[in-house]
Amino acid sequence: MNAPRSTTALLTFAVIAAVAVALVAPSGICQPPAEPAEPAEPAAPAAPVAPPAEPAEPVAPPAEPAAPAAPQSGLAVAEIIFASGIDRANRAVIDPASEFDADVQQVVCYTRITGAQESTVVTHAWYFEGKTKAKVELAVGSASWRTYSTKQIQPTWTGQWEVKVLDESGAVLASASFTVQ
């Protein structure tokens, strides 16, 4: 059977835990406590820490992922959805998908654009197998704006499709793809 812990040891543990919690801010950055903690019993001196060993070869810093160039417009695409139709009354897509049968007849590209400070336009650029099939200019009238374009699909146009959303300067805000099979 273990001997019961002393009241002093429990008090010391509680004070150390309280100080540790007080040092870590919600941001994860250590900050001094707002008020000094109650003095605890003096701790034993810490053992000296050896300096870290030097690596044999220089270590390259981790590679940073390439960030896309931020468009000058401040616009962003918050949502991009492909569908076989659109319910205009409810402003909703019908049958969203990323694959469509060859008899689909048309595909809708629905986007929600954010960040507009004033009225502007975006373009839905439709590509089939890497070749431009259509460019549709769409008005953006507020900081959160839903819009869409449609593309008639010929039954022989099976394969990979892509829509790029462009700002007024032609910078790509987003792109997404779908397949017609």
Side-chain angles (χ1 to χ4, degrees), residues 45-74:
V49 177
E54 294 288 325
E57 296 179 20
V59 177
E64 291 291 324
Q72 298 283 333
S73 64

Side-chain angles (χ1 to χ4, degrees), residues 98-121:
S98 60
E99 292 184 359
F100 300 91
D101 291 329
D103 63 353
V104 68
Q105 296 184 354
Q106 83 170 0
V107 173
V108 174
C109 179
Y110 166 94
T111 53
R112 186 165 59 89
I113 310 296
T114 60
Q117 300 300 315
E118 57 189 32
S119 293
T120 186
V121 296

Side-chain angles (χ1 to χ4, degrees), residues 13-63:
F13 176 77
V15 169
I16 291 171
V19 170
V21 169
L23 286 177
V24 179
S27 66
I29 300 172
C30 290
Q31 299 177 347
E35 297 177 19
E38 302 246 345
E41 292 182 22
V49 177
E54 294 288 325
E57 296 179 20
V59 177

